[in-house]
Amino acid sequence: MGSFFKGCNCTRQGRCSHPYLIRYRDASGRQREEKGCATQQDALDRLTKVYRQKQDTPQQQALEKRELGKQPFGESCSAWLPRQRHFAPGTIRSVNRLLDNHVLPSLESRRVNTFSPTVADDFIQAMEERSTGLFRVYGGGCGQPCIRSGSSPEA
């Protein structure tokens, strides 16, 4: 089912204020860890909820999740884009260009189930360091640098 524990080194863990952590395997078979449960009962309730969700996941769906997680990201993208029937042709060209020039060179070989918030943050930081990311500064026709709307002027 899973386990719960405190990740601190306090001598009296039953009385310290650190949150409980839970560790379990999700429906795709990957080990997960969550933190933030204030009491043992909260941790046990969360583990029970996760266990029930896992039991309610059909076997075929769990197998598909496992197989999709093993796919490289580039392969997943190439299968995803043609299925987007609501995209206009110009949007498909733009997405392909962004994938080919910015995303796939860094992430193409990474397996889908290895993505985490840290991986996404590292990718965004790398793009910003190359001045191709969210805070890209554009040169204006007037000779002054122009900032894309919604971006940081410090970049």
Side-chain angles (χ1 to χ4, degrees), residues 41-103:
Q41 190 59 46
D42 290 345
L44 193 57
D45 291 345
R46 177 67 182 135
L47 276 174
T48 304
K49 182 179 177 184
V50 167
Y51 181 72
R52 286 194 181 123
Q53 286 175 345
K54 184 176 175 182
Q55 294 298 68
D56 292 343
T57 303
Q59 191 67 22
Q60 183 62 30
Q61 184 180 359
L63 182 62
E64 287 174 7
K65 281 184 180 180
R66 222 173 282 128
E67 291 304 315
L68 287 174
K70 292 177 184 177
Q71 266 188 348
F73 183 69
E75 191 176 308
S76 180
C77 285
S78 62
W80 169 80
L81 193 57
R83 293 193 313 260
Q84 306 311 307
R85 294 184 303 272
H86 61 282
F87 281 1
T91 303
I92 291 175
R93 281 191 302 274
S94 294
V95 169
N96 270 327
R97 190 170 47 248
L98 287 170
L99 285 171
D100 292 341
N101 294 334
H102 302 291
V103 178

Side-chain angles (χ1 to χ4, degrees), residues 128-129 131 134-138 145-148 150-155:
E128 289 170 350
E129 287 171 3
S131 296
L134 302 174
F135 302 114
R136 183 173 177 185
V137 178
Y138 289 94
C146 300
I147 308 295
R148 181 189 286 181
S151 64
S152 169
E154 291 83 43

Side-chain angles (χ1 to χ4, degrees), residues 6-20 40:
K6 286 197 174 189
C8 64
N9 293 325
C10 297
T11 56
R12 298 180 71 189
Q13 288 195 352
R15 294 185 182 230
C16 76
S17 61
H18 294 104
Y20 282 89
Q40 281 187 0

